[in-house]
Each structure stands twice: as C-alpha cells, then as structure tokens.
Amino acid sequence: MHIFKYCKIYTRVAIAATALVCITLPAWTSPNAASKFDWEATNGWIVSAKDSLSVVADGDTYAWNTAVKPADTWSLSADINITDMKNGIGASRLVFGDSTRKPLIIISVEHHITGISLITVKLRDQLFLNTVGGGRPGGDSSYHATISRNGNSIRVKVYGNKGLEFVEDTPKIDEALLNSIAVFGVGSSGGSIEFSNITFQSPVEKPGHYRVLADSAMDDLLRNYWTGGPDEGYIIPTYGGYHGAASSPMPKGSMWERSQMLFAMDTYYQATGDPLAKRRIAAEWSDIKKTFTKEELVAAGSIVHPACDDCGWDSMVYLVIYKDLGDPYALEVAKGLIDNAFKRWLNDDFGGGMRYDNRKMKSLCQAAEILCALQIWKATGDKTFHDRAMNCYNWVESHLLRPDGIYWCDYGWTSDGPELADRPNDIFEGGSVSFFGGNMGMAVVHAYLYRITGDEKYLRRAIRTAEGIFQKETRDGIYLNDRDAWSNGTFAGYWVRDVLSLPGIDAKHKDILLKTADAIYKNARTPYGYYGGCWNGPADGPDSPWSVRGFKPQQITTSTSTANMIMGAALAEKVQR
C-alpha cells in the first residue's frame, strides 16, 4: 500500500562528491550506556573519533548499534545533515533489523539536486510509504527525524531546515515483523551525510491522553505558524494575527503576537521535556534578537508595545526565555521593558496602579507587569521592582476586586470606577466586564507572593480567585473564554505550575482544565489545525461569537492562546503522573 502526502519543500543545487557519512554519538537514553565501540563498523564504516563514524558510501551501507535492543515500544531521533550528493542524490537511512542484521524497516530521507526531498518507508525492501514534495530554490539539506513505534504502525516525523514539515503514521504493519526487530542502525546509499544528536529510547512510556492532544496541537501550530528547522527556523511574522507582516505597518511583525506562540511552546516544553521544543525556543529567540533592536524590545508606548498588556506579555516571554535558556540578555530586556512601562504609566490617578496606555483608564492587564516585576526583583535584588509591583498589586486588590472573588477588567474609561459596575453578570464569550486571563494572572501573582513570603493571606487569595473563576467563568463544565480570545490562555502554564500545586487547592480546578482541553480539541479545532476562541465550539463561522467579532481561528493569537490551554492540560497530567 502506498500513501502519498504533500509536504513543503525547497530546492538547493549541490555538486556530487565522494560519499562520506559521519555519525555523532551522544549519551543514550536507553538503560544501557553506549560508547564509540557500540557500533558494528563494517562495509567501510570507520570509527574516526571519540563519538563519530564515517564511511565512503558507493552503495547501500549500514552501521548497526549493538548497545540496545528495541522493546515493544521505542523511539529513534537524529539530526541529519546532507552536505553533498552522489549522482544528484544525498540519501540517509534510519534502519531497523532482525538479529542477523537483515533490514526489516528502512526509513529514507533524501535530498535531490532538483530541490525535492523524498521520504520513504520500506518493509523488507518493499515500498510502503512514499512522500514527495515540490521544489523551490534554497531547499532543505538538513533534517530532524523522529521515528517511533506507535502500536502496530510507525510514526514518521521529519522537519527540514528550510520548511519541510512531515508527520505521518504508516498503515498497520504486521505485528510479528515489528516484534522481530532486534537492532537499529543508520546508513546511506550515497552522498555525504552527517548524523548527530542520535537518541534511542526503549521502552517508551505510553503518553498520556493530554500529551497526545498537546503533541497534535503543537504539530498544528508549527505547521501553520513556523518556518524552517528546529535550529534555524522562526515564528512566521504576523500582523493582526495574520501572515503578511512585510506589507503591514509593522514589517518586522508584531512582537506580542510572537509571544503568544512562545507561551504555548514553553508550556509544551515544560509538559513534555522535548529537547526539540527547547531548540525551537532558542531558534526563535535568536531570530527575535536579529529582528528587533534592544531599543525596540524595551520601548514602552511604541509601535512595538503601545499599551501595558503588550509590555506585560513580552516581558513575560523574555523571562520565559531567561528561564529556559539562561540568556542574561533576556533578563536585561525584561528589566528594561518593565522599568520603562512603570515610568510611563504608573501614576497616582485613581489612587495608584498603571494606566492601560497613554489615556487615563486602568486595567487588570497590569497583572502581567506585577508578576514580571516580582520575578525581576527576585532575580536581581532590585527592590524598586518589588515596590512598584506592590503598588500595582495593592491598587488592583482595592479597586478591581469584586465580592465574588474575580476582578473587574477596566477602570476609569467612562467613569471614576469600574466599567459597567451595574452589570456584574455580563460575562460572555466575545465580551465581558471581567477578564479570564487577568483573573488567572492575579491568582498566579497571589501564589507567587505566597511562595516567596510564606504569608498565608496570599494563599487564601489565590484559592479565592480560583474559586471565583470556577463559579463565574465556566459554562457547561468548561472554562469560558470571555474577554480576549487573543490572550485568555496566556497564563495556562503558570496556572498549572503555581496555582494548581498550592496546598488546599480543590481538585475540581484541575478537572475543569482537563475538560476544557478535551472540549477545545473536539469542538474548537478546524480541519486545518487552527483553534477558535469558543472553547466548546464552534471553531468558526456565524455561530461563533468570537469569529463574528473578527477573532478568527486562523489568527496566530487566537489559535495559540486557545492551544495553550491544551498544553496546560498536558502539564497538569504530567504533574499527576
């Protein structure tokens, strides 16, 4: 049976050369540690260094690993770099064989001089799955491949450095053949190939239900909003949520829209520990540093950060980068942006707190600045950030807190008080007097203050806010995406790490997050892998209040904010497991 699947591909012209294959061997994730001697280096393969193999390949040749034996579940991943081709083709192989080293399953990733990348799966030399993409100048020549046994099929995931994205399960394979796999290896049929970062894990713990949903959601986000490989790629610049930023008022794209994608990527990384996810975060950070100057990254009230919510989201992302990658520059720009936001908008109007923008009104959006300022204080010891954070925190508690435990969203827009205070129950999809994301944010702030001070009043406040959200911002047993479909999911990862782990927190708060993730994946996902703002559906169309208002699932902000709730559920499941 043949399956043909289109995938994105680009072209690169290369000159045929002597076929040299190199393999770099990392630490193994299997119980048995491998060394440079754990390969059968025959048919031209030579151990040339502490952790590399090389071969001159004029035809099919393999190097077999002898350190591990695949069990009934396994996963093999490798970076593949095709530096030259033989007769116009650079052909790499990931192979699984029986105890006699006879190949049973061969996965080929080939780069052709025409710009085509060809991915094939063969069973005992019989073509089983065939994938080919059309070509374009500058095509993929390096790839990251992950091959895993998924029941009685093989899951093949290949990402290229210039945009190839392929994820596919083979049809079912005879179980007896799969169970007869005794070794794995790498190989080539021609071309100069380098394999690196090879990891093999067996057995593999069966992923939980929400991990499966998160994997699928992340594949959707990468397919729709990412270009390039895990080390050279980046989030496609957007403006107003859509591709095409180059012809917009912000040709570099919106920074805060990138941030929403990064929140989902970070929550996914925290939930899965996937090293590829961390590499993508690093690649995106590298692109951000190349795209935006330091002045742009820290400017408050600019086209990049016109309001306090933009400053808050981006400062949060800088601190996420600092947490994940340890880059001191990320902490530096987070400190600069929060400092500039305070200097521009923190004042004594209405008794304190931050303006939303250059107008007089104030907003619950400053919860993001409060959290960032407290984190910066802990990281740097600069107490001015603590003091300004607590100014805003106390103002929110005294001016926006409602009797039901959640918060008014806006203050001072049309009156000297909370907006629409006479309509406290106006909490709906597509419009609300409160703000689900801001309420989550304040619960996270309370939890953070509890952890750094030990003062139980903050614990009580965090639990109070969680209860308020449960009572006021749920419908039909799931969370309600009430105020802002572009950012309501921002705090999902923080919610799991900081709030759901509190002593005394009711298990119902975790349960409703999981149910929300199920509802989103079932009812709010479009056939093309976009995620709508109505978390119980429909994903799009005239019956979706968010789509009617122009918050479309195709926008990066809508999709990633919603998908982050799924990533949060996977993180909650991981904590439980």
Side-chain angles (χ1 to χ4, degrees):
M1 180 178 181
H2 295 180
I3 294 180
F4 294 87
K5 181 179 176 69
Y6 173 75
C7 51
K8 294 190 290 186
I9 197 75
Y10 307 90
T11 307
R12 181 163 86 83
V13 177
I15 301 173
T18 302
L20 175 66
V21 180
C22 299
I23 300 179
T24 302
L25 308 179
W28 296 89
T29 58
S30 66
N32 301 314
S35 74
K36 65 179 180 178
F37 302 109
D38 290 320
W39 294 86
E40 290 184 356
T42 59
N43 298 325
W45 292 87
I46 300 172
V47 178
S48 58
K50 179 179 179 181
D51 54 4
S52 67
L53 297 170
S54 64
V55 67
V56 175
D58 293 322
D60 285 342
T61 181
Y62 301 105
W64 297 99
N65 181 269
T66 60
V68 293
K69 182 182 186 301
D72 56 356
T73 59
W74 45 259
S75 178
L76 169 65
S77 65
D79 290 333
I80 303 167
N81 185 28
I82 299 176
T83 59
D84 260 319
M85 294 174 279
K86 181 178 178 64
N87 298 325
I89 300 174
S92 65
R93 306 281 190 261
L94 299 172
V95 59
F96 301 88
D98 63 17
S99 59
T100 69
R101 309 304 189 253
K102 180 180 179 180
L104 299 176
I105 302 176
I106 303 172
I107 296 91
S108 299
V109 181
E110 299 180 357
H111 173 62
H112 290 230
I113 198 170
T114 58
I116 294 294
S117 282
L118 181 66
I119 302 168
T120 61
V121 178
K122 290 184 178 181
L123 304 183
R124 296 195 179 100
D125 290 328
Q126 297 298 310
L127 188 63
F128 190 59
L129 183 148
N130 191 37
T131 299
V132 63
R136 222 177 97 169
D140 303 88
S141 58
S142 62
Y143 309 85
H144 178 86
T146 300
I147 315 298
S148 54
R149 181 173 175 179
N150 185 28
N152 285 345
S153 66
I154 300 294
R155 173 161 294 175
V156 181
K157 300 176 73 170
V158 181
Y159 298 98
N161 65 318
K162 294 295 180 66
L164 172 70
E165 299 166 356
F166 175 73
V167 180
E168 183 74 3
D169 288 339
T170 69
K172 287 188 176 180
I173 298 172
D174 179 58
E175 186 174 6
L177 184 147
L178 288 169
N179 290 339
S180 65
I181 292 174
V183 292
F184 79 91
V186 294
S188 173
S189 64
S192 297
I193 319 293
E194 298 174 352
F195 293 87
S196 60
N197 293 317
I198 302 171
T199 60
F200 186 85
Q201 184 176 357
S202 184
V204 177
E205 182 181 2
K206 182 179 180 181
H209 170 69
Y210 296 99
R211 166 65 189 267
V212 172
L213 297 191
D215 285 345
S216 179
M218 183 51 64
D219 287 340
D220 288 335
L221 297 184
L222 293 173
R223 181 174 59 252
N224 292 324
Y225 305 114
W226 182 271
T227 185
D231 298 311
E232 309 90 352
Y234 54 89
I235 297 168
I236 298 171
T238 57
Y239 179 74
Y242 295 106
H243 298 178
S247 58
S248 77
M250 297 181 69
K252 296 180 179 182
S254 168
M255 180 59 212
W256 83 266
E257 292 176 17
R258 291 181 185 232
S259 293
Q260 292 301 318
M261 174 80 167
L262 276 164
F263 290 133
M265 293 169 68
D266 173 64
T267 308
Y268 177 80
Y269 172 55
Q270 300 300 320
T272 66
D274 183 356
L276 205 61
K278 183 176 181 179
R279 288 164 60 183
R280 287 196 179 94
I281 292 170
E284 171 59 18
W285 178 233
S286 177
D287 187 70
I288 288 171
K289 290 193 289 186
K290 288 186 292 187
T291 301
F292 297 93
T293 66
K294 181 179 179 181
E295 289 71 22
E296 289 172 322
L297 292 177
V298 303
S302 66
I303 190 172
V304 180
H305 306 110
C308 84
D309 53 353
D310 311 291
C311 293
W313 309 147
D314 288 354
S315 298
M316 285 174 63
V317 152
Y318 302 159
L319 292 172
V320 161
I321 299 296
Y322 180 65
K323 168 180 64 71
D324 290 345
L325 306 180
D327 185 349
Y329 181 69
L331 177 60
E332 182 182 345
V333 291
K335 183 177 179 180
L337 180 55
I338 289 295
D339 186 52
N340 287 335
F342 279 145
K343 288 176 178 176
R344 189 175 189 92
W345 292 312
L346 179 60
N347 63 26
D348 293 331
D349 294 348
F350 305 122
M354 294 182 71
R355 290 181 177 180
Y356 174 75
D357 57 16
N358 293 334
R359 294 167 290 178
K360 189 176 182 180
M361 64 275 193
K362 299 188 175 182
S363 166
L364 184 57
C365 292
Q366 63 190 281
E369 273 88 354
I370 297 169
L371 179 63
C372 290
L374 290 171
Q375 291 175 331
I376 291 167
W377 165 56
K378 292 301 291 183
T380 67
D382 188 338
K383 195 171 181 296
T384 64
F385 285 89
H386 166 274
D387 295 345
R388 289 177 289 181
M390 294 309 295
N391 177 307
C392 295
Y393 174 85
N394 291 326
W395 184 86
V396 169
E397 286 296 290
S398 61
H399 289 72
L400 298 182
L401 178 62
R402 297 163 33 135
D404 54 16
I406 60 174
Y407 296 82
W408 301 103
C409 182
D410 302 313
Y411 193 100
W413 290 64
T414 60
S415 65
D416 291 346
E419 289 299 301
L420 303 176
D422 59 332
R423 295 157 55 182
N425 294 320
D426 279 8
I427 300 175
F428 309 106
E429 285 180 330
S432 175
V433 296
S434 191
F435 172 28
F436 177 83
N439 290 324
M440 268 194 161
M442 284 304 297
V444 170
V445 169
H446 298 319
Y448 189 78
L449 284 168
Y450 167 65
R451 287 194 167 88
I452 63 176
T453 67
D455 190 334
E456 292 204 353
K457 74 180 179 184
Y458 298 119
L459 172 62
R460 292 191 294 271
R461 290 175 182 180
I463 293 174
R464 176 200 68 199
T465 306
E467 183 64 24
I469 292 172
F470 186 87
Q471 296 297 331
K472 301 298 294 187
E473 294 183 301
T474 60
R475 298 291 187 276
D476 300 320
I478 69 166
Y479 285 130
L480 181 74
N481 193 3
D482 66 343
R483 172 80 182 199
D484 189 346
W486 288 351
S487 63
N488 263 337
T490 296
F491 288 94
Y494 298 82
W495 178 258
V496 174
R497 292 189 299 269
D498 298 334
V499 178
L500 297 189
S501 60
L502 288 171
I505 195 76
D506 197 300
K508 67 185 180 183
H509 300 298
K510 177 180 177 179
D511 292 342
I512 199 168
L513 173 63
L514 301 182
K515 291 175 182 176
T516 301
D518 281 324
I520 288 170
Y521 197 81
K522 179 181 178 181
N523 301 321
R525 181 182 182 273
T526 76
Y528 295 98
Y530 297 101
Y531 294 81
C534 295
W535 290 345
N536 207 15
D540 202 357
D543 294 327
S544 165
W546 277 120
S547 288
V548 169
R549 287 198 59 196
F551 293 70
K552 297 288 189 177
Q554 294 77 17
Q555 293 169 302
I556 188 173
T557 40
T558 310
S559 262
T560 56
S561 176
T562 292
N564 200 24
M565 299 297 289
I566 296 176
M567 311 308 177
L571 180 57
E573 179 182 59
K574 174 187 177 182
V575 172
Q576 176 184 9
R577 289 160 69 92

